[in-house]
Amino acid sequence: MAKAVVIGSGIGGIAAAVRLAVKGYSVTVLEANATFGGKMTQFSLPGGYRFDAGPSLFTLPQLVDDLFSLAGRNPADYFRYQRLPIVTQYFWPDGTHLTAHADSELFAQEVETKLNVPKAQLHRHLQKVARLYHATAHTFLHKSLHKLDTFLSPDVLKTLPALPELGLTTTMHAANARAFSDPRLVQLLDRYATYNGSDPYQAPGTLNLIPHLEFNIGAFYPEGGIYAIAESLVRLAEELGVEFRYKEPVEEILLQGSRATGVRTSQNTYQTDTVVSNMDVMPTYRRLLPRHPAPERTLQQPRSSSALIYYWGISRSFPELDLHNIFFSQDYKQEFEHIFQKKTVADDPTVYVNVTSKYTPTDAPAGHENWFVMVNVPHNQGQDWDALIQKTRQSVLQKVSKALGTPIEPLITAEKVWDPRGIEADTSSFAGALYGSSSNNRMAAFLRHPNFTNKIKDLYFVGGSVHPGGGIPLCLLSAKIAADLVPDVSSTIAG
């Protein structure tokens, strides 16, 4: 039976394991940590608070459903979710509070009432974004950008007419500022650059397609939280015969000539027909392929931002909050300059608060809430993180307390912090960069590492540091692209 080894059990690695098992491979997943999930893990704090450690937003749930359907299973038997009626609650320093309803008419009415932007103007914008997304996504997200047949596909005929409207020659912010005059709505739309760790004042306008996922398709919440995604897919993988081996970090990818033939750990050597790395592409080359020439141009691309996360048990509930909440900074441009130019955290950062106990009441004691409080920060370059953690904590408390009209610090009954150093140590994300390289130039999509390498046969790459990028949907798509490139079992056996 043809064998495959997957290095790492992040969401991309789990999805790749499922797809390879369906193709008939005997799959072993080797994970350095004690459990699966990568950034998609969970933990509890004293007092009865449960937290999803990493990703908190769930879009395009059909990409998860597809894995169960591919394996001949009913997705609902493993995994359930609901479409959120409210996508995000937004708070600005001037006191504006806007509810981004999932219903497009309610959202447009809210924007007109609170931000004085005509409903019809917002509707036209979202319709344009939807049209451009559907014209381009199958070419740029669902297939490899590094294979000629992608550009010979009939899908390209739909993509080409859309190219002039994609904003390739402008920035996200410039495009949004042309579309809308209200700076608050521009800031709301600029925020989507952070979904792949980028800067809206540098990143190309093509990233303005991202809001389509939330405003036109919807944001969703899985029963049991984001961790339930990984948990359900691991259950599926194990039913398909995939073996997960924990606390067994891979030390080297074994080569014979220009072919990957296995991996070595401190415990075993695994001979295999296919190797899939779900590890960040930087340590994959630097640590696992130390004697093989690395693609230096790709590895030297500027890193994405990271995150500073405070997990707080809060001893009361706030009805004005929902699952997703944003407290904006006064000067967004300055905030991103601090992250990407000054490599530090602004005095007035934008704050994201995720409260899963709104939808899973058992995530916090009755009358309490579990706050996942995140600030976008630079990746680790030796900053004094201990000092930044304390300084930023005070900035966050001041901002959120003012917006909610209640001192927050006395309500904190439990606390944990995750900073870029910990993110790197726990997940092997180089320098704690959440998305590998940033998308701060218009060629970034093409400079991101492909899902294969022409230099080493039978070695493939999945996860947020390679094409098509970071976040749950794109990691799932990376697994699909890579698995489609892996030879069928019959041809492997014949070879």
Side-chain angles (χ1 to χ4, degrees):
M1 188 175 190
K3 297 179 180 179
V5 164
V6 178
I7 303 169
S9 63
I11 187 64
I14 299 169
V18 168
R19 289 184 175 276
L20 293 176
V22 169
K23 290 187 82 160
Y25 282 82
S26 171
V27 184
T28 301
V29 180
L30 300 171
E31 170 57 54
N33 292 316
T35 188
F36 56 83
K39 300 179 186 74
M40 194 184 287
T41 55
Q42 67 173 358
F43 66 90
S44 296
L45 289 181
Y49 302 97
R50 189 204 73 89
F51 295 88
D52 287 311
S56 57
L57 175 68
F58 184 38
T59 57
L60 298 181
Q62 68 270 22
L63 296 178
V64 177
D65 289 343
D66 287 347
L67 291 165
F68 295 103
S69 300
L70 183 69
R73 308 299 206 271
N74 178 6
D77 291 341
Y78 295 76
F79 177 65
R80 297 176 184 271
Y81 52 87
Q82 60 177 299
R83 190 172 191 262
L84 297 174
I86 293 174
V87 177
T88 307
Q89 296 285 3
Y90 289 101
F91 301 83
W92 279 271
D94 67 359
T96 303
H97 172 202
L98 183 143
T99 300
H101 297 277
D103 181 281
S104 61
E105 181 60 27
L106 290 176
F107 178 43
Q109 182 61 61
E110 181 85 349
V111 168
E112 182 172 273
T113 301
K114 301 289 182 63
L115 307 182
N116 300 312
V117 175
K119 290 193 297 182
Q121 186 178 356
L122 181 65
H123 281 309
R124 285 195 300 271
H125 179 79
L126 294 179
Q127 288 164 3
K128 174 186 175 181
V129 169
R131 174 173 55 80
L132 294 175
Y133 178 87
H134 289 298
T136 59
H138 204 72
T139 296
F140 291 119
L141 299 181
H142 291 251
K143 295 182 179 180
S144 173
L145 291 181
H146 305 84
K147 291 287 188 180
L148 180 61
D149 57 5
T150 296
F151 300 97
L152 299 178
S153 164
D155 292 312
V156 172
L157 297 177
K158 293 191 300 181
T159 300
L160 290 176
L163 291 180
E165 296 184 86
L166 283 179
L168 288 167
T169 60
T170 190
T171 65
M172 287 185 73
H173 175 75
N176 289 328
R178 281 199 302 268
F180 298 101
S181 60
D182 188 278
R184 293 164 297 183
L185 184 55
V186 172
Q187 189 175 27
L188 188 158
L189 295 172
D190 283 352
R191 180 177 80 87
Y192 288 91
T194 66
Y195 281 33
N196 66 6
S198 301
D199 174 359
Y201 298 90
Q202 297 184 65
T206 49
L207 297 189
N208 283 326
L209 299 186
I210 297 173
H212 167 71
L213 303 182
E214 288 186 17
F215 294 129
N216 293 321
I217 299 176
F220 299 80
Y221 182 74
E223 287 185 9
I226 293 292
Y227 179 72
I229 301 172
E231 190 174 41
S232 63
L233 289 177
V234 166
R235 175 187 164 196
L236 172 65
E238 289 178 337
E239 288 181 5
L240 295 173
V242 175
E243 180 185 13
F244 289 82
R245 297 181 64 90
Y246 302 108
K247 296 184 178 180
E248 190 169 349
V250 173
E251 297 180 344
E252 184 180 7
I253 295 172
L254 303 177
L255 304 178
Q256 286 185 5
S258 61
R259 182 185 295 268
T261 59
V263 302
R264 177 179 57 78
T265 74
S266 62
Q267 302 172 38
N268 293 289
T269 296
Y270 297 84
Q271 298 298 325
T272 184
D273 300 285
T274 296
V275 176
V276 178
S277 178
N278 184 209
M279 180 185 279
D280 186 304
V281 69
M282 180 74 84
T284 295
Y285 280 100
R286 298 288 191 241
R287 291 183 357 216
L288 306 188
L289 293 163
R291 290 179 292 279
H292 189 275
E296 295 300 336
R297 185 185 179 205
T298 297
L299 298 188
Q300 295 306 319
Q301 291 303 303
R303 297 292 95 187
S304 79
S305 58
S306 186
L308 175 54
I309 307 173
Y310 305 89
Y311 307 92
W312 290 339
I314 300 293
S315 62
R316 61 158 280 191
S317 61
F318 288 84
E320 58 266 58
L321 298 181
D322 206 85
L323 177 66
H324 303 297
N325 310 274
I326 292 288
F327 299 83
F328 276 122
S329 63
Q330 183 69 47
D331 190 334
Y332 219 29
K333 192 173 194 297
Q334 183 185 81
E335 181 179 352
F336 283 99
E337 286 175 351
H338 274 72
I339 295 172
F340 288 98
Q341 276 80 52
K342 298 181 180 180
K343 312 297 183 186
T344 188
V345 186
D347 292 337
D348 175 31
T350 294
V351 179
Y352 166 69
V353 179
N354 176 252
V355 190
T356 62
S357 58
K358 296 289 186 182
Y359 284 84
T360 305
T362 54
D363 281 356
H368 292 221
E369 293 180 345
N370 64 331
W371 285 18
F372 168 113
V373 182
M374 188 187 83
V375 172
N376 293 300
V377 301
H379 62 274
N380 181 31
Q381 292 183 285
Q383 297 92 329
D384 185 349
W385 287 108
D386 293 334
L388 284 172
I389 287 168
Q390 293 306 313
K391 171 178 170 267
T392 305
R393 186 179 188 271
Q394 292 308 309
S395 300
V396 169
L397 288 168
Q398 181 179 2
K399 175 183 288 291
V400 178
S401 297
K402 180 179 178 181
L404 298 180
T406 301
I408 299 301
E409 188 163 25
L411 303 176
I412 299 173
T413 64
E415 181 172 20
K416 179 180 177 179
V417 179
W418 207 21
D419 65 56
R421 298 169 301 182
I423 292 170
E424 179 172 27
D426 296 340
T427 70
S428 293
S429 299
F430 178 71
L434 293 179
Y435 306 95
S437 58
S438 73
S439 295
N440 286 340
N441 70 70
R442 61 187 178 185
M443 296 304 295
F446 296 92
L447 295 173
R448 186 173 284 272
H449 196 287
N451 306 98
F452 65 97
T453 169
N454 288 320
K455 305 294 184 182
I456 304 175
K457 189 173 175 57
D458 299 323
L459 175 61
Y460 303 89
F461 302 84
V462 299
S465 69
V466 300
H467 179 70
I472 297 170
L474 299 190
C475 286
L476 291 171
L477 287 173
S478 76
K480 180 180 186 302
I481 294 168
D484 287 346
L485 294 172
V486 173
D488 292 336
V489 168
S490 58
S491 61
T492 302
I493 295 173

